[in-house]
Amino acid sequence: MEEKKDDRSFMLKLATFIVDKRNGVFLAFIGMIVFSIIASGWVQVCNDITQYLPSESETRQGLTLMENEVTTYATARVMISNISREHAARLAQELEQIEGISAAEFLDAEADPPLTAEDIAEHYVRAAALIDVTFEGEEGDEICESAMAELKAKLDGCDLYISSPVGSSEAALLDAEMNIVMLVAVGIIVSVLLFTSKTYMEIPVLLMTFGSAALLNKGTNFLMGEISYITNSVAIVLQLALAIDYAIILCHRYTEEREHLNAHDAVVVALSKAIPEISASSLTTISGMVAMMFMQFGIGRDMGTVLVKAILCSLLSVFTLMPGLLMLFSKQIDKSHHRSFVPQIDRWGKVVLKTRFILPVLFVFALGAGFYFSNRCPYVYGESTLSTTKQNEVQIAEKMVNTTFGSTNVMALLVPAGDYEKEGRLLRELEAHEEIDFTMGLANVEAMDGYVLTDRLAPRQFAELTDVDIEAARLLYSAYAVDREDYGRIVSSIDSYDVPLIDMFLFLYDKKEEGFVELDPEMNADINDLYDQLTDAKRQLQGENYTRLLLSLNLPEESPETFAFLNTIHQIAAKYYDDVYLVGDSTSDLDLSTSFSRDNVVISVLSALFVIIVLLFTFQSAGLPVLLIAVIQSSVWINFSFPYLTSTNLFFLSYLIVSSIQMGANIDYAIVISNRYMELKKEMPIQQAIVETLNQSFPTIVTSGTILTAAGLLIGQLSSNPAISSIGSCLGRGTIISIILVMSVLPQILLLGDTIIERTAFTLKKPDIVQTGTGALRVNGHVRGYVQGVVNAEIHGTIQGRVSAVVDVGGMEPETEYERLNEPALPDGSPAPGKEARSK
């Protein structure tokens, strides 16, 4: 007996294998999901956006130096309202006794000279007191966290506002907010799917498919080592909005095939057809995410990588897990069919048809205006000027403190260590500028009796200052010179040998501890206290290779004047040093603005280029991709015109991320419209094809668009983080604009540009190929040739016999077992030709 040849396509074979092995797939997913739940606890989240600055930026280099060279103790601005000045002073003294707090600065009632009104206003205004707290550890240290907890307990019952990174986890706040966003988003998505679905039971299948994909992506984030708090917060919601389309496409395919096939075969055929369609659709979205990865600012690479991984996890779940779920719940799906709630929009199609000579003209003006206004968008690079609809308790406290006592803008200037005199001159020149409130460095911190820590004192001056016997002072100086091997300077006279006060104090303390120097009890206590202060100061201000100078600016964190003065600081420092680093929020914003200039061009060019390449291969036309890109790019420009027109600051990262997502994801809507139109115009006049295109595309676009819009607007309204809120609002608004343009202007452009599309097609005319076959042959297309006689007709069906003909447009292939299942009988009730033979 002759072995039957398997003439199924590769996709059918692959789909059959996946469906038949569904139990193994279920087991694999259960294992992967359990692992992902465990692995999600391994993911490290970075809350510091400056970590993603380019390594060559001044801020990143300066921060790295500070981490290696000096210690930055955590601080807090503690504001207590409705309190007397005396009560606040007592509380400050009590706070200073808390373990883990090194200082709690308030007004000194016994200050000499007496405090001025301006001095008082810095810490006490309208019955509100400000206590500046310094902790004994760095931000994130356990000692600081426990000290903050005790501080809050001690001030419990007070009208309290605390501005500090200690004790407030940005990641925890965002996680809580995103959990709420996710719950609301799921509710909206279920509502949308109930409206657009054809059977109720498909909704749990969709949610299980997406839930598995989301867990896989979240669990595999540990492979990246560390991800940003922005990526960690929005990845799941964006994955849901971007990738749930894939599951919807397969579900709709299954519903269509189930009308004439059994459940198994319907899933197989639906999957075989959906894999190429979904894969092609995902390429445009992935291309937008890949474009983000070329950003110089590391957030783009971080978020782009996670979102590409999210899309791949979604594809894996849809292609392998969902077919099994459709089989598992096939009976319930069959029983839960309901009528379609999606209305026909023929009337809208006719409106679009009638206005085809008006809207495109208006669109051209809108495109030009969008380009003009979006290029004048008021971008900002820090969060100080951004506001959100929702505010958390940390933001409320910080706003209250800044409103009452003013905000602070402290910069750190790192200069090579070793020359106290040069540091002093630099500090004095900087402090002479009106833009600087005060400066601080070892070279201008007062020690006692008018001396600063770095003043050079001879033995007699040191003896008078410390009440040490002059001979003891000379011996101490001699010991210091021997210890430093500085013999040359003491050969002529020890009395002319001068040493920086801070160095001699520290040397005196060491010798006292070693037993070489004896001091009276009062001086011993003073030296011990001074030693603690000096060592703290030195840890914060002087490292092995660099010294840190602190500058308090009376300029806002971000403004043209601030950026210009940063350049002035560099020019002044350059007079004294060749190698300096200026670090602070303002320099970080300046570095981000410089990075944005380059990243903006890269994102715009690459996202458009990648999408065009995908479209060229999809439509095999040079004209059509240009038309589609023009529509979506114009939606991006119009979207980012709103901040300019409403005089609202826009976080720069919102533009970079949202423009990529909008280009990569919303182009799918344009592809849906274009695909339908290109198919339908072969069967009917192009004007009728446009109306039918809108009617058929509406359910897909309204489902996907509503989900992405809802996800974006929810993030914008429910997140208190300015960066994330801005990303969400821009994404939601941009998706609405894209839907409006795709459902109105794009069909008109396709209609008016039909000739251009046809003439720019670069598919080559293939020579006529005579196809031959015998037996049951599935024919689809215009046939010219012999079919047991000459046939010249449109044939869509099965021919039993011998065929030798040219098939235009469509094709001819042996009929597969899936297409034979419901083969119709002849009018007399007998089986169709060949059916009886096959059943024997």
Side-chain angles (χ1 to χ4, degrees):
M1 183 176 180
E2 184 178 353
E3 185 179 350
K4 184 178 179 181
K5 181 180 179 182
D6 188 351
D7 53 8
R8 296 175 300 168
S9 67
F10 170 76
M11 283 301 169
L12 273 173
K13 294 177 184 177
L14 177 62
T16 303
F17 176 82
I18 292 172
V19 174
D20 289 346
K21 302 297 182 182
R22 58 187 178 276
N23 289 333
V25 171
F26 289 154
L27 288 175
F29 264 86
I30 290 172
M32 289 189 293
I33 288 171
V34 170
F35 174 79
S36 296
I37 292 173
I38 297 172
S40 61
W42 304 341
V43 180
Q44 300 296 316
V45 179
C46 177
N47 293 318
D48 183 6
I49 198 173
T50 62
Q51 293 288 340
Y52 297 91
L53 283 167
S55 58
E56 66 274 11
S57 66
E58 181 182 26
T59 300
R60 184 64 265 151
Q61 293 183 54
L63 287 171
T64 302
L65 275 177
M66 284 204 303
E67 291 169 4
N68 296 333
E69 293 275 334
V70 296
T71 300
T72 303
Y73 291 121
T75 60
R77 302 178 80 198
V78 180
M79 172 179 156
I80 308 172
S81 298
N82 304 312
I83 191 173
S84 67
R85 179 175 162 183
E86 292 74 18
H87 187 193
R90 290 196 301 272
L91 286 177
Q93 293 175 355
E94 293 177 13
L95 293 181
E96 205 163 55
Q97 303 306 312
I98 294 176
E99 183 180 358
I101 294 179
S102 60
E105 297 179 7
F106 189 63
L107 300 173
D108 184 1
E110 300 178 358
D112 185 21
L115 297 173
T116 65
E118 186 177 348
D119 294 331
I120 295 173
E122 291 181 359
H123 285 272
Y124 193 79
V125 176
R126 297 186 298 276
L130 178 67
I131 303 174
D132 289 323
V133 174
T134 303
F135 295 92
E136 294 180 355
E138 296 183 283
E139 179 185 335
D141 289 353
E142 185 177 346
I143 191 173
C144 299
E145 300 290 338
S146 60
M148 177 61 80
E150 190 173 344
L151 180 151
K152 291 179 179 179
K154 185 172 286 292
L155 300 180
D156 186 32
C158 296
D159 193 357
L160 183 65
Y161 301 94
I162 302 176
S163 175
S164 174
V166 178
S168 60
S169 173
E170 183 80 8
L173 289 171
L174 285 174
D175 280 344
E177 291 173 355
M178 286 303 112
N179 287 336
I180 296 174
V181 170
M182 193 65 190
L183 289 174
V184 179
V186 169
I188 292 176
I189 288 167
V190 170
S191 302
V192 172
L193 293 177
L194 284 172
F195 177 74
T196 60
S197 65
K198 296 180 181 179
T199 170
Y200 293 118
M201 193 58 204
E202 71 182 41
I203 296 174
V205 171
L206 293 172
L207 294 179
M208 282 188 282
T209 302
F210 173 76
S212 300
L215 286 173
L216 290 182
N217 188 50
K218 187 174 180 63
T220 52
N221 282 338
F222 82 94
L223 297 173
M224 299 182 63
E226 185 178 65
I227 62 174
S228 71
Y229 73 94
I230 295 177
T231 302
N232 187 61
S233 300
V234 302
I236 290 183
V237 181
L238 290 182
Q239 181 182 3
L240 171 61
L242 293 172
I244 199 170
D245 280 2
Y246 310 148
I248 293 173
I249 290 172
L250 178 56
C251 211
H252 286 178
R253 283 286 187 185
Y254 168 74
T255 305
E256 294 171 3
E257 298 298 333
R258 186 70 180 93
E259 293 177 1
H260 57 273
L261 295 175
N262 62 43
H264 176 276
D265 296 336
V267 175
V268 169
V269 175
L271 182 59
S272 68
K273 293 179 178 179
I275 289 176
E277 181 181 353
I278 294 172
S279 299
S281 174
S282 68
L283 284 177
T284 55
T285 306
I286 290 175
S287 63
M289 305 304 105
V290 170
M292 288 171 54
M293 295 164 64
F294 285 88
M295 285 169 53
Q296 194 175 26
F297 187 39
I299 286 286
R301 182 174 59 257
D302 181 75
M303 180 170 284
T305 303
V306 171
L307 289 181
V308 167
K309 183 163 60 66
I311 293 170
L312 295 178
C313 289
S314 299
L315 291 175
L316 177 66
S317 296
V318 170
F319 290 160
T320 59
L321 176 63
M322 189 174 179
L325 294 175
L326 290 173
M327 280 290 297
L328 186 64
F329 296 102
S330 59
K331 292 181 180 179
Q332 290 82 359
I333 292 174
D334 291 342
K335 293 177 181 178
S336 60
H337 275 277
H338 61 80
R339 69 179 182 85
S340 175
F341 301 114
V342 180
Q344 299 289 310
I345 59 168
D346 300 82
R347 291 184 179 179
W348 173 249
K350 293 175 182 178
V351 171
V352 170
L353 198 59
K354 290 180 180 179
T355 58
R356 65 185 181 278
F357 297 110
I358 301 174
L359 285 184
V361 176
L362 298 177
F363 169 71
V364 171
F365 283 105
L367 189 152
F371 176 78
Y372 177 83
F373 292 133
S374 64
N375 281 330
R376 284 156 180 75
C377 186
Y379 296 110
V380 294
Y381 307 93
E383 298 182 359
S384 61
T385 60
L386 297 174
S387 60
T388 56
T389 304
K390 178 183 178 180
Q391 289 195 321
N392 58 46
E393 59 181 17
V394 175
Q395 292 170 318
I396 294 172
E398 185 173 2
K399 184 177 181 180
M400 285 293 296
V401 173
N402 290 340
T403 301
T404 307
F405 292 99
S407 58
T408 59
N409 186 10
V410 178
M411 311 292 295
L413 182 63
L414 296 172
V415 300
D419 193 330
Y420 292 138
E421 185 179 349
K422 191 184 290 187
E423 291 172 21
R425 293 201 308 271
L426 173 58
L427 287 170
R428 287 189 292 273
E429 183 172 352
L430 287 171
E431 202 163 34
H433 286 262
E434 61 181 12
E435 292 88 351
I436 293 181
D437 282 333
F438 67 85
T439 63
M440 180 184 292
L442 292 177
N444 70 352
V445 172
E446 185 174 346
M448 56 179 67
D449 294 349
Y451 289 112
V452 297
L453 290 176
T454 58
D455 280 345
R456 304 184 72 89
L457 274 64
R460 184 170 294 280
Q461 294 171 301
F462 185 79
E464 292 172 354
L465 180 65
T466 59
D467 289 332
V468 173
D469 181 75
I470 182 61
E471 293 302 325
R474 287 169 178 160
L475 288 173
L476 183 66
Y477 269 64
S478 298
Y480 180 90
V482 171
D483 186 70
R484 299 297 189 276
E485 297 183 357
D486 197 7
Y487 306 107
R489 294 188 58 196
I490 63 173
V491 169
S492 56
S493 172
I494 189 65
D495 289 332
S496 63
Y497 183 46
D498 54 3
V499 176
L501 181 58
I502 183 173
D503 293 343
M504 187 51 66
F505 265 127
L506 294 175
F507 186 74
L508 173 60
Y509 177 85
D510 290 339
K511 294 305 174 185
K512 176 183 76 69
E513 291 296 296
E514 293 172 6
F516 293 108
V517 177
E518 292 186 4
L519 302 173
D520 62 71
E522 183 179 353
M523 177 55 66
N524 187 64
D526 290 342
I527 291 296
N528 287 338
D529 290 342
L530 186 58
Y531 174 80
D532 291 338
Q533 297 175 27
L534 291 179
T535 51
D536 275 352
K538 200 162 185 178
R539 287 194 196 102
Q540 296 180 76
L541 298 176
Q542 189 178 60
E544 183 178 350
N545 302 301
Y546 282 86
T547 295
R548 176 163 62 177
L549 312 178
L550 299 180
L551 319 173
S552 179
L553 277 58
N554 54 31
L555 296 170
E557 175 189 321
E558 182 179 356
S559 71
E561 294 78 16
T562 303
F563 290 164
F565 188 66
L566 297 183
N567 186 50
T568 301
I569 294 175
H570 273 289
Q571 291 174 351
I572 294 172
K575 298 178 183 178
Y576 302 90
Y577 302 97
D578 296 328
D579 184 25
V580 299
Y581 297 91
L582 188 60
V583 181
D585 289 338
S586 294
T587 53
S588 174
D589 295 345
L590 180 59
D591 285 338
L592 288 172
S593 69
T594 303
S595 172
F596 173 71
S597 301
R598 181 256 188 196
D599 287 342
N600 188 12
V601 176
V602 170
I603 287 290
S604 301
V605 172
L606 288 183
S607 57
L609 180 62
F610 291 157
V611 170
I612 285 178
I613 292 173
V614 173
L615 294 179
L616 284 173
F617 282 98
T618 302
F619 294 105
Q620 297 185 348
S621 168
L624 185 55
V626 173
L627 296 178
L628 300 188
I629 288 293
V631 172
I632 299 301
Q633 183 60 62
S634 67
S635 73
V636 174
W637 288 335
I638 294 172
N639 184 19
F640 290 102
S641 297
F642 278 79
Y644 173 81
L645 296 174
T646 58
S647 299
T648 305
N649 288 337
L650 177 68
F651 192 50
F652 79 106
L653 197 58
S654 303
Y655 177 83
L656 294 175
I657 292 175
V658 173
S659 61
S660 298
I661 294 175
Q662 195 173 343
M663 177 62 74
N666 293 359
I667 194 72
D668 283 350
Y669 309 152
I671 292 174
V672 169
I673 293 284
S674 303
N675 267 330
R676 294 280 184 179
Y677 171 71
M678 298 297 286
E679 292 174 2
L680 291 173
K681 76 173 187 176
K682 299 174 184 176
E683 304 174 6
M684 58 187 73
I686 57 176
Q687 294 185 5
Q688 184 182 347
I690 282 293
V691 176
E692 187 60 28
T693 292
L694 289 172
N695 208 29
Q696 293 183 14
S697 303
F698 179 66
T700 301
I701 293 176
V702 74
T703 303
S704 175
T706 303
I707 290 172
L708 188 55
T709 299
L713 295 181
L714 281 172
I715 292 173
Q717 294 298 311
L718 299 181
S719 176
S720 60
N721 182 275
I724 293 174
S725 175
S726 178
I727 290 171
S729 298
C730 291
L731 182 60
R733 183 178 62 231
T735 303
I736 293 173
I737 295 170
S738 297
I739 292 173
I740 292 173
L741 292 182
V742 163
M743 290 296 292
S744 58
V745 176
L746 178 60
Q748 298 173 333
I749 292 176
L750 291 175
L751 189 62
L752 298 175
D754 187 74
T755 302
I756 297 174
I757 296 171
E758 292 295 330
R759 291 186 177 182
T760 56
F762 52 77
T763 51
L764 298 176
K765 178 68 176 177
K766 298 180 180 179
D768 291 345
I769 299 177
V770 177
Q771 302 184 49
T772 61
T774 303
L777 301 172
R778 184 71 177 174
V779 181
N780 181 22
H782 185 84
V783 179
R784 290 181 289 114
Y786 292 90
V787 184
Q788 295 182 339
V790 179
V791 175
N792 188 345
E794 296 289 341
I795 298 179
H796 302 279
T798 302
I799 295 176
Q800 177 68 31
R802 177 172 297 175
V803 177
S804 178
V806 174
V807 182
D808 297 332
V809 182
M812 179 178 72
E813 60 182 7
E815 190 179 38
T816 66
E817 58 181 307
Y818 305 108
E819 295 162 322
R820 297 172 188 160
L821 294 174
N822 291 327
E823 195 171 279
L826 296 177
D828 61 1
S830 62
K835 187 173 182 180
E836 185 178 35
R838 288 194 299 271
S839 65
K840 292 181 180 179

